[in-house]
Amino acid sequence: MRAVTVAILGCGNRGGDVYARHLAAQGARVTHLVDPRPARLAEVAARHGLPPAVCFPDWDAFFALGRVADAVVIATPDDQHVTPGLQALALGYDVLLEKPICLQEAELDLLLQAEAQSTGRVSVCHVLRATLFFQAIRQVLDAGRLGQLVGIQHAENVAYWHYAHSFVRGNWRASPPAAPFVLAKSCHDLDLLRWFAGAPPSRVDSQGGLHHFRPEHAPPGASDRCVTCRVPDCPYDARRIYGARPPDAWPNTVLTAGGQSLAEALNTGPYGQCVYLGLNNVADHQTVNVTFANGVTASLSVSAFTHNNTRTLKLLGTHGELRGHMDRGELELHDFRNGTTDLWTVDASGNHGGGDVALVQAWLAALRGETRVPTPLSESLDSHRMAFAAERSRLC
């Protein structure tokens, strides 16, 4: 069987370190790369044995070649998803599109219309649907073991160090150009709520804000960079956060992408800056309440101020309650009809609980014609519409 050929647009952590690696490991062939950073482009090209002739600093140069691969992965920055997506669809490419789909709600329909006119199809990287953990929850619902679903209580525990890495020091610290916190971090979770509820949303309310990571909360004597700071017990000290983790694993690989050392990154880059400089503007704690058209209600809490970096949830039905802890792969079902409690675990290992690998596997199967595309664009719109509505509600 001929290997599926894929071009990677955006060679950052998701494009270069996650999707390109998993695609190659699962038998696809990465044939072209696009990234504006020469060192990063060369680093990812070397992994896949690609010559400079198939590496481009911008997507216009790549698309000028016409259709030269079976599909493209678009993992560019948040505000650069729509334009290459439209160009890819115009050429008939199948697209694996990193979330968020876009930063303006009107652009959702632009992509949907372009897909309808194209032979290509868009699959959004809502990787959590592909995990064994959330598929097990879906199976409980489909089997009717909860009776009628009435409510969902869902928490995304971001973890204090993860929030500092991604949303204070990282690419998602300011919106715009990045997506708002609830869209960038929780469109996965909103997609799950929509999937479980089985109906479109009819009402969305939200509250939250930037509570802590502000200049007025800096401890006395704080420096503008962790390597020169003498505050003894700051939980957000970059030396502690990155020094406690393997150098070849995320998030450290974000700092060392392009060949610089961890020490260089902490001394000169954004990941060594004090979290209290005021360079971020996205919420650090937010709640979202959703009512769906079938009467199911859901609450989502997404917070920086947690120890665990995982999702926890309860599904409340007329005949039972299901509790879940994603990081541990634990599920607990209480059946009101017979008074029994079932406890079991599923494999939740790997990035995003195994969702990254599983999504790539499902997408490749769709490209080979073996199944439909996972998380199609038409099914991913409601998660984004909920996020846009939540942000409007939060800010009003």
Side-chain angles (χ1 to χ4, degrees):
M1 182 183 297
R2 182 182 68 85
V4 173
T5 56
V6 183
I8 307 294
L9 280 61
C11 294
N13 173 250
R14 298 301 293 172
D17 295 336
V18 176
Y19 299 121
R21 286 185 186 273
H22 290 321
L23 284 164
Q26 295 185 33
R29 187 160 61 89
V30 175
T31 59
H32 298 76
L33 300 175
V34 176
D35 199 279
R37 300 164 296 175
R40 180 61 171 169
L41 197 60
E43 179 185 358
V44 178
R47 294 178 193 166
H48 299 279
L50 298 180
V54 295
C55 300
F56 304 91
D58 61 80
W59 60 71
D60 286 334
F62 166 71
F63 286 128
L65 301 176
R67 186 173 177 185
V68 292
D70 296 315
V72 299
V73 171
I74 297 178
T76 46
D78 288 358
D79 60 342
Q80 298 172 30
H81 287 179
V82 175
T83 300
L86 294 173
Q87 290 180 251
L89 288 170
L91 289 170
Y93 277 111
D94 286 299
V95 178
L96 185 64
L97 180 62
E98 181 60 289
K99 59 82 184 169
I101 297 169
C102 56
L103 300 188
Q104 302 296 328
E105 191 167 2
E107 293 177 330
L108 294 171
D109 291 329
L110 285 179
L111 279 170
L112 194 61
Q113 292 164 8
E115 184 190 52
Q117 298 167 4
S118 173
T119 57
R121 291 294 173 262
V122 178
S123 186
V124 178
C125 296
H126 278 149
V127 296
L128 295 186
R129 280 204 196 193
T131 65
L132 293 176
F133 179 79
F134 287 111
Q135 286 184 0
I137 293 174
R138 180 74 254 179
Q139 289 165 7
V140 169
L141 286 171
D142 291 343
R145 299 182 69 184
L146 295 182
Q148 177 187 350
L149 181 65
V150 175
I152 307 169
Q153 300 171 3
H154 185 105
E156 182 174 7
N157 309 285
V158 180
Y160 67 98
W161 60 267
H162 184 180
Y163 184 89
H165 168 77
S166 295
F167 299 98
V168 180
R169 296 173 169 129
N171 293 337
W172 296 273
R173 66 184 180 182
S175 176
F181 182 46
V182 70
L183 179 59
K185 194 72 185 78
S186 295
C187 66
H188 285 311
D189 305 278
L190 293 169
D191 179 63
L192 290 172
L193 297 181
R194 170 65 174 86
W195 190 37
F196 295 152
S202 60
R203 178 175 177 176
V204 178
D205 301 294
S206 181
Q207 295 187 14
L210 180 58
H211 295 269
H212 180 66
F213 297 93
R214 306 159 67 100
E216 60 266 32
H217 295 303
S223 172
D224 63 351
R225 191 165 287 277
C226 292
V227 293
T228 58
C229 188
R230 296 178 180 272
V231 175
D233 57 354
C234 177
Y236 307 104
D237 188 330
R239 293 168 295 188
R240 178 193 298 178
I241 290 175
Y242 301 109
R245 287 167 174 78
D248 58 347
W250 185 89
N252 288 26
T253 50
V254 176
L255 281 67
T256 57
Q260 71 175 342
S261 68
L262 181 61
E264 288 176 308
L266 295 183
N267 274 284
T268 63
Y271 295 100
Q273 291 175 325
C274 176
V275 296
Y276 300 106
L277 293 181
L279 301 176
N280 53 302
N281 66 9
V282 297
D284 55 24
H285 182 88
Q286 187 167 355
T287 58
V288 182
N289 295 308
V290 184
T291 302
F292 293 93
N294 59 0
V296 173
T297 63
S299 63
L300 166 67
S301 173
V302 54
S303 182
F305 308 110
T306 66
H307 168 69
N308 291 322
N309 179 26
T310 190
R311 272 107 175 163
T312 54
L313 72 162
K314 288 184 184 180
L315 275 68
L316 312 173
T318 55
H319 292 162
E321 175 191 77
L322 178 66
R323 302 179 183 182
H325 188 295
M326 181 183 176
D327 192 44
R328 297 197 291 256
E330 294 177 352
L331 292 166
E332 178 181 333
L333 175 61
H334 299 268
D335 192 317
F336 303 159
R337 293 167 293 188
N338 56 31
T340 61
T341 297
D342 292 334
L343 302 169
W344 73 103
T345 60
V346 297
D347 184 6
S349 59
N351 289 341
H352 288 113
D356 290 349
V357 172
L359 178 71
V360 168
Q361 183 179 31
W363 187 54
L364 285 176
L367 294 180
R368 298 184 185 111
E370 299 166 6
T371 184
R372 73 169 195 158
V373 296
T375 58
L377 181 63
S378 60
E379 294 184 13
S380 296
L381 300 187
D382 278 343
S383 65
H384 284 58
R385 296 196 194 284
M386 283 188 276
F388 287 124
E391 190 66 359
R392 284 194 299 271
S393 175
R394 183 183 77 84
L395 294 173
C396 71

